[in-house]
Amino acid sequence: MKDFYVRIISDACSDIYPKNTLSNFSNYLGNPLKLPKHENWKVSLHSIVCSNHIFNSRKINFLKIECDEVHSRFYLGKDLSIHARKAYNPEKSRVHFFTPLHKEYFALSSDEITKLTIKITSDEKQDSEYRDSLKFYRGPPTIVTLHFKRFDK
């Protein structure tokens, strides 16, 4: 296998991680990802689906999506397309769908991954409550899809 996708969903694993929110959540992986470093595995953001409430509640032009287990950070407004703002009417749609404009792959920090944690923040010059972590609690689950790929040396 040269590549595969993993979805991290904000309302999954709520029995293990009861404090999960739409913008800060963890998923336990029942089958750990065993990706030996010598095989040159890397990860990239494939897509993110999130509640349109974050855009309806305030003007946000910049989001940072972090996944510490794979030492990755992706930026909305810099690296991500904004399909949702043009493709969906916020009055009718409940979600926004984003994909990277340019896929950037990051080296993995571990040979085995047993959980993945996603934190979505706004890095604009806003009050600290929103800079630290976006506080959106209503709406459908947030879904982040990561693409893991083995590169030939």
Side-chain angles (χ1 to χ4, degrees):
M1 173 173 37
K2 289 195 75 137
D3 74 326
F4 62 93
Y5 296 87
V6 174
R7 284 195 177 124
I8 307 101
I9 305 171
S10 62
D11 65 355
C13 300
S14 57
D15 54 333
I16 300 170
Y17 304 105
K19 294 184 180 184
N20 277 357
T21 67
L22 294 175
S23 61
N24 194 347
F25 53 94
S26 297
N27 282 191
Y28 170 76
L29 304 176
N31 295 317
L33 300 177
K34 295 182 181 181
L35 307 169
K37 287 182 186 178
H38 72 273
E39 291 183 359
N40 204 25
W41 284 95
K42 296 185 179 187
V43 64
S44 178
L45 178 68
H46 177 71
S47 65
I48 177 170
V49 177
C50 62
S51 170
N52 70 2
H53 177 69
I54 63 170
F55 297 104
N56 293 343
S57 62
R58 63 188 348 93
K59 185 176 183 203
I60 294 175
N61 294 315
F62 185 90
L63 293 178
K64 180 168 63 172
I65 299 100
E66 300 177 74
C67 186
D68 287 339
E69 290 83 6
V70 294
H71 291 282
S72 299
R73 278 135 185 78
F74 309 99
Y75 300 94
L76 169 67
K78 177 184 174 191
D79 296 333
L80 299 177
S81 66
I82 309 175
H83 294 297
R85 290 192 183 172
K86 294 178 183 174
Y88 298 106
N89 179 340
E91 301 298 321
K92 295 180 182 176
S93 178
R94 297 176 52 202
V95 298
H96 288 296
F97 176 80
F98 302 97
T99 57
L101 288 173
H102 308 285
K103 279 198 172 189
E104 183 177 357
Y105 285 87
F106 295 89
L108 299 178
S109 58
S110 174
D111 288 336
E112 185 172 326
I113 301 168
T114 58
K115 79 168 188 170
L116 290 167
T117 300
I118 298 294
K119 184 176 183 185
I120 303 171
T121 57
S122 173
D123 206 23
E124 286 193 341
K125 294 178 175 122
Q126 299 173 345
D127 55 276
S128 63
E129 176 186 1
Y130 289 94
R131 193 176 321 122
D132 295 338
S133 180
L134 287 171
K135 310 285 191 220
F136 57 105
Y137 296 102
R138 344 183 275 231
T142 302
I143 303 168
V144 173
T145 305
L146 300 177
H147 181 220
F148 290 83
K149 185 174 180 178
R150 188 174 65 207
F151 287 84
D152 295 329
K153 293 186 177 187

